[in-house]
Amino acid sequence: MQNKNNSYQPLALISLITTDLAAITRGRGLPSNTLDSYLKRGCGWVPANSSLTPQDLIPDNNPWGSHGDLRLMPDLKSRVKVAHMPDATSPALEFIHCNLIETDGTPWRSCTRTLLANEIAYYKDKLNLNVYSAFEHEFNFKTLPQSHAIRSFSLQSQRIVGDFGNWVLDALMQAGADPEMFLPEYGKNQYEVTCKPTFGLASADRAINIREIVRDIARQMQLNVSFSPKTTPDSVSSGVHWHISLQDNDGHPVLYDENCDNNLSQLGQHWAAGVLRYLPALCALTAPTPVSYLRLQPHHWSAAYACLGFRNREAALRICPVTTFAGSSPAKQYNLEFRPMDATANPYLAVAGILMAGRLGIEQQLPLTACLDVDPEQLTQAERDHLGIRRLPSSLREALDLFKSETELVSCFPQPLLDTYFGMKEYELELTADLDDEQLCQSYSEIY
């Protein structure tokens, strides 16, 4: 930050960051001119930090106690630097995503970034598949000037926030995140940012980059944003939609087959069947806070049932549209959208869980059922049962219990990570047990 009285510039900081199980990005700042000395050995971290709840409290029964040490090991490929910002006096935003390792250099078994990297490697090495994906993020401004004039998707809604969108997309461009779009959404004061897809771990890194850059630009412009799935009980919900396509090791898309129903290939059907099979349990990872379940309701376009739909926004897993004119290749565009996720989820953990479920579907060649192109709520219970369509959990408690009961899926996760996650979530439920819906929304809108 420039000193107003002279041209002296203080030293530049770069942060080594990790995103924890509560989806809070934390880390340590260090002089950027000392970075080289940290690239081989990282910097110190504490195991019990992984048990922090969204309320910034560590449960007494966490697996780590006061013992132990870790290292934040920077992954230089994930380095982000945003030098130009709306507040010219603000220092550059510079950080590097890190893996958590033991002090002897071995991977720490509770590191979610390592978990996702390992699952992506499994796809490549065992299934000959490469994961190509992208995140869409919705968020709300808590207050806006002239908010009474905001209309869904309107040009005026875009203009009311001034050059906020310009700065966000510019900052994402500086960060190498390939920004695609900034748009006003359906809800009052609600907006969305999308970035282009990329391969492997970089997609989840981009999800964190989007959240932190949007927050930083908003702070500099004296605006207040929230990524919480619900800011008030009657508000339109905000979600995170994850789009995935799969390619073989020669770079050919494998989800598309023009001879299959809805053009979803046999391999894609097995993958989708695995995700749907475990989807109610996966909500413990993708919709991981009590406030998440105010969003997963029928008629919210957020998904309340475990089903696959062709362009159906009430389906938890959606086959997205492709264009077939102007020389477009449907196969290259073809992707599936996972909808029951929000920004209280750690993207590394959530995506790892979805990929594990899809992988089990491929390996077990599960048949695809639970397909429809209408709102599942319009069907009778008997009709849903016939199609194999299940309701998603209605609370975090139910989701956690479902997850624990799915032993085959659970066995894919390191036990120390599960112990940490369950302990943290149990404490979070205890801390929020007495909050009504209004208080729950208020609390999480301030945290996220």
Side-chain angles (χ1 to χ4, degrees), residues 274-311:
V275 173
L276 294 177
R277 161 70 179 80
Y278 292 106
L279 204 151
L282 286 172
C283 287
L285 309 180
T286 66
T289 53
V291 75
S292 299
Y293 295 87
L294 301 181
R295 173 177 176 261
L296 297 185
Q297 301 291 330
H299 312 308
H300 277 53
W301 286 17
S302 59
Y305 292 90
C307 59
L308 173 75
F310 180 67
R311 306 187 184 187

Side-chain angles (χ1 to χ4, degrees), residues 221-233:
M221 298 181 70
Q222 288 78 54
L223 296 168
N224 196 347
V225 299
S226 176
F227 284 86
S228 175
K230 277 281 198 174
T231 53
T232 65

Side-chain angles (χ1 to χ4, degrees), residues 2-314:
Q2 184 174 359
N3 188 306
K4 293 182 180 180
N5 298 320
N6 56 53
S7 60
Y8 174 75
Q9 297 287 333
L11 57 83
L13 289 183
I14 185 169
S15 295
L16 304 186
I17 64 168
T18 178
T19 298
D20 65 12
L21 293 173
I24 307 294
T25 299
R26 309 179 193 267
R28 305 199 189 281
L30 49 100
S32 59
N33 60 5
T34 67
L35 175 61
D36 287 349
S37 64
Y38 292 91
L39 292 179
K40 289 186 178 180
R41 295 191 302 112
C43 72
W45 200 246
V46 179
N49 287 355
S50 62
S51 291
L52 279 161
T53 65
Q55 293 77 16
D56 256 5
L57 296 171
I58 297 175
D60 291 336
N61 65 343
N62 77 84
W64 313 106
S66 60
H67 180 75
D69 289 279
L70 300 170
R71 306 295 289 180
L72 286 172
M73 179 56 67
D75 178 356
L76 203 54
K77 297 189 299 296
S78 73
R79 186 173 183 171
V80 167
K81 183 173 183 179
V82 183
H84 305 289
M85 296 193 173
D87 180 359
T89 66
S90 181
L93 174 65
E94 190 169 8
F95 56 82
I96 305 176
H97 296 275
C98 297
N99 293 326
L100 291 168
I101 63 171
E102 302 277 4
T103 54
D104 64 1
T106 57
W108 191 50
R109 296 188 67 205
S110 291
C111 175
T112 58
R113 195 169 185 270
T114 300
L115 179 78
L116 178 55
N118 290 343
E119 186 62 24
I120 289 169
Y122 188 104
Y123 266 64
K124 183 174 181 62
D125 298 339
K126 304 291 186 180
L127 305 178
N128 297 317
L129 295 172
N130 292 290
V131 178
Y132 190 57
S133 66
F135 289 81
E136 299 174 351
H137 280 76
E138 296 169 335
F139 61 92
N140 286 81
F141 289 96
K142 291 191 175 180
T143 58
L144 279 178
Q146 308 175 54
S147 62
H148 63 280
I150 285 181
R151 295 294 180 266
S152 303
F153 316 115
S154 70
L155 176 61
Q156 282 306 303
S157 295
Q158 185 171 318
R159 300 290 294 173
I160 280 171
V161 296
D163 56 0
F164 175 84
N166 306 54
W167 276 113
V168 165
L169 295 191
D170 184 84
L172 288 169
M173 190 77 73
Q174 293 180 61
D178 288 334
E180 191 174 51
M181 227 175 272
F182 172 81
L183 62 146
E185 259 289 352
Y186 177 58
K188 183 178 181 180
N189 297 356
Q190 186 185 45
Y191 292 78
E192 181 176 305
V193 172
T194 66
C195 287
K196 295 177 182 177
T198 189
F199 285 100
L201 195 61
S203 178
D205 288 342
R206 281 186 182 180
I208 301 302
N209 298 347
I210 291 169
R211 300 176 194 186
E212 295 307 316
I213 286 171
V214 167
R215 289 176 176 129
D216 209 74
I217 298 296
R219 176 187 58 79
Q220 292 179 42
M221 298 181 70
Q222 288 78 54
L223 296 168
N224 196 347
V225 299
S226 176
F227 284 86
S228 175
K230 277 281 198 174
T231 53
T232 65
D234 59 351
S235 64
V236 172
S237 64
S238 291
V240 171
H241 300 154
W242 182 61
H243 294 255
I244 179 175
S245 61
L246 296 171
Q247 298 182 10
D248 64 24
N249 284 340
D250 293 323
H252 301 125
V254 298
L255 291 184
Y256 180 83
D257 187 332
E258 63 181 5
N259 298 313
C260 291
D261 290 344
N262 294 323
N263 301 135
L264 182 61
S265 69
Q266 193 64 51
L267 181 140
Q269 291 179 40
H270 292 321
W271 188 91
V275 173
L276 294 177
R277 161 70 179 80
Y278 292 106
L279 204 151
L282 286 172
C283 287
L285 309 180
T286 66
T289 53
V291 75
S292 299
Y293 295 87
L294 301 181
R295 173 177 176 261
L296 297 185
Q297 301 291 330
H299 312 308
H300 277 53
W301 286 17
S302 59
Y305 292 90
C307 59
L308 173 75
F310 180 67
R311 306 187 184 187
N312 180 4
R313 288 178 173 82
E314 284 289 352

Side-chain angles (χ1 to χ4, degrees), residues 350-361:
V351 170
I354 299 167
L355 289 176
M356 289 170 184
R359 180 239 297 176
L360 291 173

Side-chain angles (χ1 to χ4, degrees), residues 343-380:
T344 67
N346 175 306
Y348 306 104
L349 180 63
V351 170
I354 299 167
L355 289 176
M356 289 170 184
R359 180 239 297 176
L360 291 173
I362 292 173
E363 292 175 336
Q364 298 170 12
Q365 297 193 326
L366 295 180
L368 179 61
T369 59
C371 301
L372 81 168
D373 290 321
V374 298
D375 184 346
E377 187 73 3
Q378 295 176 2
L379 305 182
T380 66

